[in-house]
Amino acid sequence: MKFKGSQKNNHSGPPKILILGAKGMLGSDLQKVFAQENIITWGKEEADITVKEDLQNKLELISPDIVINAAAYTDVDRAEKETEKAKMINGEALNYLAEICYNLDSVLVHYSTDYVFSGKKEEGYLEEEEPDPLSVYGQSKALGEKNIINSNLEKYYIIRTAWLFGPSVKILKKNFVNTILRLAQERTSLKVVDDQHGSPTYSLDLAGITKEILEKKFEAGIYHFTNQEEVTWYSFAQEIICQAQKNGILEKKNIKVRPCSSREFPRPAPRPAFSILKNTKLPLPRTWQEALKDYFHSAF
């Protein structure tokens, strides 16, 4: 199914784009990429996506042509305890949002995760494969996907991504790159898990492909987007330190990065061992190493 248009046909001018979760890591880069467009940016203070009536009233007032939902519950480990909260924000709220977008004839863009898969397939996952999440967080994101797909809404994009890094926006612990930099400043030895495989994603590149999808009016459905090349958290950490030292962000001291297993670093939420998202529908992006280099040049 091709979109007949990426905006409503009842007015002229550029489409009105609402960005939800605009103050987060991805939301900040979406604001940069869409800066020249007709955008409205809301954080959780402006709109709580879990309160249907309030959300509906606010969206009806502005009647956006496109809604980009970057709002999410992202604390993977805390979700194991805050199950209902995670499932409400990442799952049930998408029932409301899809219904409202359908009634307003708006396009919905929503972001999902590699954690919707168990990670048992070493070769990775295609877009059409059925989710089989291990964690509460993964279950909540899979529920959000299901609620969009099962709604009446036809004009939607679900973009699965993984290992996101970008502007810290006061949440350093949510950004693996900045966390490694901080630890490397404090210590001379780090242990990082080496049995979880995936592909990092630069949030600016994810924001960029979002704009391309909308401008080129890709078919509705599920997409996978990460930067190219597979890596483990251990190897990712090594490259972060190497590039940071080359760019003068980190002192050139001997920092030992040691590999360890997930068993040595237990977490409340189970992680998929292999969560490579195969991209068969979108233009191939640059490698994560190239993206990391760009991040260091632009953010520090």
Side-chain angles (χ1 to χ4, degrees):
M1 187 274 293
K2 289 276 189 183
F3 287 178
K4 294 179 180 178
S6 62
Q7 71 242 34
K8 301 167 196 165
N9 297 315
N10 58 3
H11 67 80
S12 59
K16 187 185 296 182
I17 302 170
L18 171 63
I19 300 174
L20 297 171
K23 296 178 182 178
M25 185 192 303
L26 176 57
S28 297
D29 277 334
L30 286 166
Q31 289 190 63
K32 293 176 190 174
V33 167
F34 287 90
Q36 302 305 312
E37 308 300 324
N38 181 17
I39 61 171
I40 299 167
T41 59
W42 287 353
K44 61 183 178 182
E45 296 83 5
E46 289 80 21
D48 183 342
I49 65 171
T50 67
V51 183
K52 181 181 179 182
E53 186 175 346
D54 184 52
L55 185 66
Q56 181 173 322
N57 291 339
K58 288 179 176 178
L59 263 69
E60 285 177 351
L61 280 175
I62 63 170
S63 190
D65 300 287
I66 299 167
V67 177
I68 302 177
N69 180 40
Y73 183 106
T74 59
D75 194 322
V76 176
D77 288 322
R78 187 177 291 179
E80 294 297 312
K81 289 185 177 180
E82 297 183 346
T83 304
E84 291 307 313
K85 184 177 180 181
K87 289 188 175 179
M88 176 57 72
I89 296 170
N90 292 341
E92 295 299 339
L94 276 302
N95 253 335
Y96 314 151
L97 201 51
E99 180 184 333
I100 295 166
C101 286
Y102 173 79
N103 291 332
L104 294 175
D105 193 28
S106 304
V107 177
L108 174 61
V109 179
H110 176 68
Y111 299 95
S112 193
T113 172
D114 57 325
Y115 280 39
V116 300
F117 297 114
S118 66
K120 295 176 183 177
K121 294 184 63 176
E122 293 187 18
E123 66 272 24
Y125 293 87
L126 295 167
E127 294 89 347
E128 64 269 18
E129 294 191 54
E130 282 295 316
D132 55 343
L134 298 174
S135 64
V136 169
Y137 169 73
Q139 292 164 9
S140 71
K141 296 297 285 186
L143 178 61
E145 291 184 10
K146 183 179 179 181
N147 283 339
I148 294 171
I149 293 166
N150 290 344
S151 71
N152 291 321
L153 184 66
E154 292 185 335
K155 297 196 277 189
Y156 70 83
Y157 299 106
I158 296 169
I159 306 173
R160 293 190 186 122
T161 191
W163 297 24
L164 202 63
F165 68 92
S168 60
V169 201
K170 299 181 181 179
I171 50 170
L172 284 179
K173 66 178 181 178
K174 303 294 184 185
N175 182 336
F176 182 76
V177 175
N178 287 359
T179 298
I180 291 297
L181 291 180
R182 176 175 55 80
L183 292 174
Q185 289 170 339
E186 299 170 354
R187 308 175 188 177
T188 57
S189 179
L190 306 178
K191 289 181 75 173
V192 185
V193 295
D194 195 33
D195 56 2
Q196 295 173 24
H197 303 252
S199 300
T201 310
Y202 185 22
S203 54
L204 189 64
D205 290 354
L206 179 57
I209 199 66
T210 300
K211 187 176 184 184
E212 185 173 346
I213 286 170
L214 290 167
E215 286 182 340
K216 294 185 177 178
K217 302 177 184 177
F218 280 57
E219 287 189 12
I222 298 174
Y223 290 82
H224 285 175
F225 184 85
T226 63
N227 288 104
Q228 284 197 76
E229 296 193 11
E230 174 191 334
V231 72
T232 66
W233 290 113
Y234 162 71
S235 296
F236 190 17
Q238 285 185 308
E239 182 67 15
I240 291 165
I241 292 171
C242 179
Q243 285 202 26
Q245 289 182 331
K246 283 182 180 179
N247 285 282
I249 296 163
L250 272 180
E251 179 188 347
K252 289 188 177 180
K253 61 181 181 179
N254 185 24
I255 302 169
K256 293 181 180 178
V257 184
R258 295 186 172 92
C260 69
S261 70
S262 298
R263 289 182 181 179
E264 294 176 74
F265 194 60
R267 306 288 291 273
R271 265 69 171 172
F274 295 89
S275 59
I276 296 92
L277 298 174
K278 291 186 174 182
N279 172 6
T280 67
K281 299 180 179 180
L282 296 171
L284 291 179
R286 57 184 168 174
T287 65
W288 64 263
Q289 294 95 328
E290 292 171 311
L292 181 64
K293 183 178 180 180
D294 186 44
Y295 174 59
F296 281 146
H297 286 165
S298 62
F300 293 87

